Amino acid sequence: MKQCTHADALPHPEPGPLSETCLECLATGTHPVQLRLCLTCGHVGCCDSSPHRHATEHYKDSGHPIMRTFEPGEAWRWCSVDHVLV
C-alpha cells in the first residue's frame, strides 16, 4: 500500500486557516462546493468539485503537499504528491 512521504514534515501545531472561505471564489463571484485547508500555510481553497479547484491550484503553485478537509464533522487529509489519504 502506498503511503504519504510528506506527513512528517508538516508544522506542529498545524496552521490556522487564513480565511473562513475560498477567497479566490469570493473574488470571482463563484461558490465553493467544499473547502480544503493547506496544512503547510493555512490557505483555504475550494475542492475539485468546485468550478475553479482553488485548493489544487494552490498545491500546484506552492508545492504544499497535504491538505485537510475544512468541512464540519470531517477530519480526513490528502497528500497531492503521493495521491493518498494521510
Side-chain angles (χ1 to χ4, degrees):
M1 175 192 258
K2 190 172 182 181
Q3 294 187 346
C4 172
T5 59
H6 304 91
D8 291 340
L10 291 175
H12 294 284
E14 73 179 40
L18 298 177
S19 63
E20 293 299 314
T21 191
C22 178
L23 296 179
E24 291 94 338
C25 280
L26 193 62
T28 61
T30 58
H31 297 283
V33 175
Q34 290 191 341
L35 298 172
R36 307 292 180 244
L37 174 68
C38 174
L39 293 181
T40 299
C41 70
H43 174 269
V44 176
C46 60
C47 72
D48 284 354
S49 295
S50 297
H52 298 289
R53 302 175 175 189
H54 290 120
T56 296
E57 287 303 312
H58 174 72
Y59 156 68
K60 289 177 182 177
D61 292 343
S62 68
H64 298 163
I66 301 176
M67 65 179 171
R68 76 164 170 84
T69 180
F70 195 54
E71 294 297 314
E74 296 181 6
W76 59 266
R77 297 172 174 203
W78 177 258
C79 179
S80 294
V81 176
D82 296 317
H83 303 283
V84 295
L85 289 171
V86 177

